[in-house]
Amino acid sequence: MAILKLPSQKEITRYATLFNVLVKYGFNDVLVNSGFSKVIPKKYLENHPDTKQNLSFSKFERIRMVLEELGPTYIKLGQIFSTREDMLPLELIIELEKLQDHVPKLENFDVYKTVEEELGLDKLKYFVSIHTEPLATASLAQVHRAQLINGEEVVLKIQRPNIKEIIESDLLVMKQLAHHLEKYSSQAEAFQPMRIIESFERSIKEELQFARELENTERFTKNFKGTEAIHIPAIYRELSSDKIICMEFIDGIKVSEIAKLKASNIDPRAVAKIGVDLYLEQILDHGFFHADPHPGNIFVLPQSGQICFLDFGMMGSIMPKEKEALGDLLLNFLSKDIKKIISLLEKIAIKADIPDNTKLEQDLYLLVDGISNTAIQNIRLGDTLTQFKTILYENRIIMPHYLYMLIRGIIIIEGVGLKLDPEFNITNNLEPYTAKIARKRFSLKYLLKKNLNRIKDINELVDTLPDDINTIIKKIKDGKLEVIHEHKGLKEFQLSTSKAVNRLVFAVIIAALSIGSSLLVMAKMPPLINGVPLLGAIGFVLSALLGFYIVISIFRND
């Protein structure tokens, strides 16, 4: 027997908040789009300035405002979607990009009390002072500057209070909504909202694990050991916890502050080249890259000119096999080998329900051909990757989470490079890596290793083949061999047949009612009302109602 599952108190609370905020902004949207705003008296608007102001906002501004009002989880979701030009209109992307810099600070936040609760009173004695005013605010945490008793300047990244509980309840609501969208809307199902929310859940939960961020920072430091061009902030593990990270204070200049860079005799063009080189090294050499390299997370040290990456909460990791496949993908794009590109995409993809292979080939050829016919100085990798994402989406190819993080990171870092140097071209930075990949693919060591692996695979296949054949023969003899056959379109056929049979049954019932009612009227069977048999009249009314219902359902469903 099915048990009715009631929503938890957390879900009810967040549903109520979501409903109230959507009604608040949705009501205003209805006013604007319906034209009712034109007939609202000016006197009313003067007495209700909030309504007047909300009526002046566009639909996309309202979406951004809804996300801001719903809190950190929705702000983070908006930030992630701010790079999905393949899915969302440009006007909405522009509004979502504003979420990167508009996160309100915590009100009445006692930083000393929080540090004492998390680290203990004995650890609080290590600090001479902690600034109560945040140095920076983000959707999940606040950053406060502090000084240690040894005179070292540090920063404390502190999680927002009850943020985990808020996110958990928000994710429950998001999953419920995504599930219903997939179930009841074929248009929404194409976007695969459940997979999007699951991917988002992974990202945001990783960011909440501050112990994981400490490990990421240490791994990042190890990868760049001995590289003079980069500086990674030192971390203080003994003054960190699962909700607080203590790290070295970076007295640097944001890469977006070009005037300050020039005032410190730092060439922005050199910063663009070195910074992007460091980022490509993370991807193509280390397979461990910063997934959120926006200008607020990249600083330049004025004394040394070193690049400094901050915030290692969201990192992308690429396995060796995946890194090799990405290298092959890059080489095949350059050689315009569409067949191999498709083969690699199917190999990397989580799911590939390609409806039309010919269309996919044409889409990829137009993309690759467009790149090859464009002068190298005019190529914008960000635009190319956005087109690539659109092709994947339109052809129902779902790639692993890390690849979307990678594309997002490259688009952001190219934007940073272009801001520092309007003539910057990331393809110039890619050339040494493509040459390195090509040399590696044709090296004797690589070819020998690849062929040895193939021989090993063949040997394993030959070794297990007799056992596999014996297993199949035994199942056939025992009558236990099962063949799974899936009939494409059978469900839709069953549904349409069911509808047709239902209508046919209704038609038979209507005919029977009509004939039966006619016989009752002709026989003048009592009881009579004004000489008309009552049962006959009821039969005719029911026949008419059922007839109207069938006609309406036919027109409604074509």
Side-chain angles (χ1 to χ4, degrees):
M1 188 174 105
I3 299 171
L4 180 64
K5 186 184 176 185
L6 295 173
S8 66
Q9 184 62 43
K10 286 194 296 184
E11 286 180 89
I12 292 168
T13 304
R14 290 307 285 173
Y15 269 122
T17 306
L18 180 64
F19 179 77
N20 288 334
V21 174
L22 289 175
V23 165
K24 174 183 173 181
Y25 290 98
F27 173 70
N28 292 330
D29 200 31
V30 170
L31 283 177
V32 173
N33 292 331
S34 63
F36 289 162
S37 59
K38 294 176 184 177
V39 297
I40 297 173
K42 289 183 180 180
K43 188 76 174 173
Y44 176 85
L45 292 175
E46 287 170 7
N47 294 331
H48 296 79
D50 290 344
T51 303
K52 185 176 181 180
Q53 186 182 8
N54 285 336
L55 288 173
S56 67
F57 294 130
S58 71
K59 176 172 63 177
F60 301 114
E61 283 177 313
R62 259 184 215 91
I63 293 171
R64 189 249 306 158
M65 291 161 71
V66 164
L67 294 175
E68 284 179 335
E69 194 159 332
L70 285 171
T73 319
Y74 291 88
I75 290 171
K76 201 71 188 173
L77 186 66
Q79 288 173 351
I80 288 171
F81 271 97
S82 67
T83 57
R84 294 307 302 266
E85 300 91 339
D86 57 318
M87 289 173 64
L88 303 174
L90 181 61
E91 296 92 334
L92 181 54
I93 294 292
I94 292 166
E95 286 303 317
L96 293 179
E97 284 173 347
K98 294 177 184 177
L99 291 170
Q100 303 284 1
D101 304 312
H102 290 75
V103 183
K105 70 175 185 178
L106 290 166
E107 296 295 333
N108 304 315
F109 178 61
D110 191 337
V111 63
Y112 277 95
K113 186 181 177 183
T114 305
V115 173
E116 184 184 333
E117 287 174 353
E118 278 300 312
L119 302 180
L121 186 60
D122 58 323
K123 295 289 176 70
L124 188 60
K125 294 175 183 176
Y126 280 78
F127 298 93
V128 174
S129 64
I130 303 173
H131 292 212
T132 54
E133 194 66 22
L135 189 68
T137 60
S139 53
L140 305 182
Q142 280 193 172
V143 177
H144 291 261
R145 190 171 174 178
Q147 187 180 25
L148 300 178
I149 52 175
N150 61 5
E152 291 179 4
E153 294 287 332
V154 296
V155 292
L156 295 170
K157 183 178 177 182
I158 305 171
Q159 263 186 33
R160 289 174 172 259
N162 305 316
I163 189 68
K164 285 185 179 178
E165 290 77 9
I166 293 168
I167 286 169
E168 284 292 343
S169 57
D170 283 339
L171 286 170
L172 283 171
V173 173
M174 285 179 180
K175 284 177 181 177
Q176 288 289 335
L177 292 173
H179 172 72
H180 288 298
L181 281 171
E182 276 196 1
K183 190 174 181 181
Y184 298 111
S185 171
S186 56
Q187 190 176 4
E189 189 184 7
F191 286 93
Q192 300 217 323
M194 274 302 291
R195 191 176 289 277
I196 290 169
I197 297 302
E198 285 167 4
S199 175
F200 170 65
E201 181 181 16
R202 262 197 320 274
S203 294
I204 201 165
K205 284 188 174 179
E206 280 178 14
E207 277 202 74
L208 283 172
Q209 295 173 14
F210 277 14
R212 177 85 172 265
E213 185 171 340
L214 290 169
E215 291 170 5
N216 289 342
T217 309
E218 288 172 343
R219 181 178 173 184
F220 197 85
T221 305
K222 187 180 177 182
N223 287 344
F224 281 103
K225 189 178 180 181
T227 306
E228 293 182 3
I230 192 170
H231 177 83
I232 299 139
I235 55 173
Y236 298 79
R237 269 195 172 270
E238 67 279 6
L239 297 175
S240 301
S241 72
D242 200 39
K243 292 185 179 179
I244 294 179
I245 293 177
C246 182
M247 66 175 71
E248 172 193 358
F249 169 70
I250 300 299
D251 186 14
I253 304 166
K254 281 186 186 179
V255 287
S256 55
E257 297 175 328
I258 297 169
K260 286 186 180 180
L261 290 172
K262 289 179 178 177
S264 300
N265 295 317
I266 297 170
D267 184 3
R269 291 175 299 177
V271 172
K273 186 183 184 312
I274 294 166
V276 173
D277 274 340
L278 289 169
Y279 195 72
L280 291 175
E281 187 178 337
Q282 294 171 38
I283 297 165
L284 298 168
D285 285 345
H286 306 151
F288 184 68
F289 61 93
H290 200 298
D292 196 20
H294 64 78
N297 282 337
I298 308 173
F299 280 69
V300 182
L301 305 185
Q303 291 82 13
S304 61
Q306 289 175 301
I307 308 292
C308 181
F309 285 85
L310 298 174
D311 192 355
F312 300 96
M314 194 188 293
M315 301 294 291
S317 189
I318 311 170
M319 291 189 296
K321 278 188 177 180
E322 293 168 340
K323 196 165 68 170
E324 186 175 324
L326 286 174
D328 290 337
L329 196 62
L330 183 61
L331 292 177
N332 286 313
F333 259 104
L334 295 173
S335 62
K336 297 167 67 172
D337 194 331
I338 307 300
K339 294 283 186 185
K340 283 187 179 177
I341 291 171
I342 293 172
S343 176
L344 282 164
L345 288 176
E346 289 175 329
K347 184 180 176 182
I348 299 169
I350 294 172
K351 190 177 180 183
D353 293 331
I354 303 166
D356 187 346
N357 275 77
T358 306
K359 182 186 178 299
L360 177 58
E361 283 184 33
Q362 289 172 345
D363 291 344
L364 287 170
Y365 180 78
L366 288 171
L367 176 65
V368 172
D369 194 52
I371 296 168
S372 60
N373 290 327
T374 304
I376 195 163
Q377 67 271 17
N378 296 326
I379 292 174
R380 292 289 175 263
L381 191 59
D383 295 340
T384 304
L385 289 173
T386 300
Q387 291 175 48
F388 181 59
K389 279 195 296 183
T390 304
I391 290 169
L392 293 177
Y393 169 71
E394 288 178 349
N395 289 279
R396 299 182 189 176
I397 301 171
I398 301 167
M399 305 304 284
H401 179 60
Y402 81 86
L403 194 65
Y404 292 110
M405 292 173 77
L406 174 62
I407 291 172
R408 177 178 182 267
I410 291 173
I411 290 170
I412 293 171
I413 203 74
E414 186 185 39
V416 171
L418 286 167
K419 192 165 188 177
L420 289 162
D421 178 11
E423 295 180 3
F424 173 77
N425 192 291
I426 198 170
T427 51
N428 295 328
N429 298 66
L430 271 170
E431 280 180 6
Y433 290 98
T434 52
K436 184 180 175 181
I437 293 167
R439 283 197 303 271
K440 186 181 176 182
R441 292 294 181 274
F442 292 102
S443 69
L444 185 63
K445 184 181 176 182
Y446 176 81
L447 292 170
L448 186 63
K449 184 182 176 182
K450 194 169 184 179
N451 285 317
L452 281 171
N453 287 334
R454 281 179 178 170
I455 291 166
K456 186 182 175 183
D457 291 340
I458 292 167
N459 186 52
E460 285 178 0
L461 178 66
V462 170
D463 191 43
T464 58
L465 192 61
D467 292 335
D468 292 338
I469 293 169
N470 284 332
T471 303
I472 293 167
I473 291 169
K474 190 175 185 304
K475 282 188 176 182
I476 292 169
K477 284 180 177 178
D478 297 341
K480 292 179 180 179
L481 186 69
E482 293 182 5
V483 178
I484 298 169
H485 175 71
E486 184 183 356
H487 193 293
K488 296 287 183 182
L490 183 61
K491 190 177 178 181
E492 291 79 6
F493 175 72
Q494 286 174 332
L495 188 65
S496 60
T497 306
S498 176
K499 283 182 180 179
V501 170
N502 286 342
R503 286 175 185 164
L504 185 61
V505 169
F506 269 115
V508 172
I509 291 169
I510 291 165
L513 278 170
S514 300
I515 294 166
S517 300
S518 300
L519 291 171
L520 289 171
V521 170
M522 289 174 68
K524 292 193 176 183
M525 186 175 179
L528 303 175
I529 297 175
N530 295 328
V532 178
L534 178 61
L535 292 175
I538 291 170
F540 280 127
V541 170
L542 285 174
S543 301
L545 289 173
L546 288 172
F548 277 123
Y549 172 76
I550 287 180
V551 170
I552 289 165
S553 70
I554 288 169
F555 280 109
R556 184 180 291 169
N557 297 297
D558 296 329

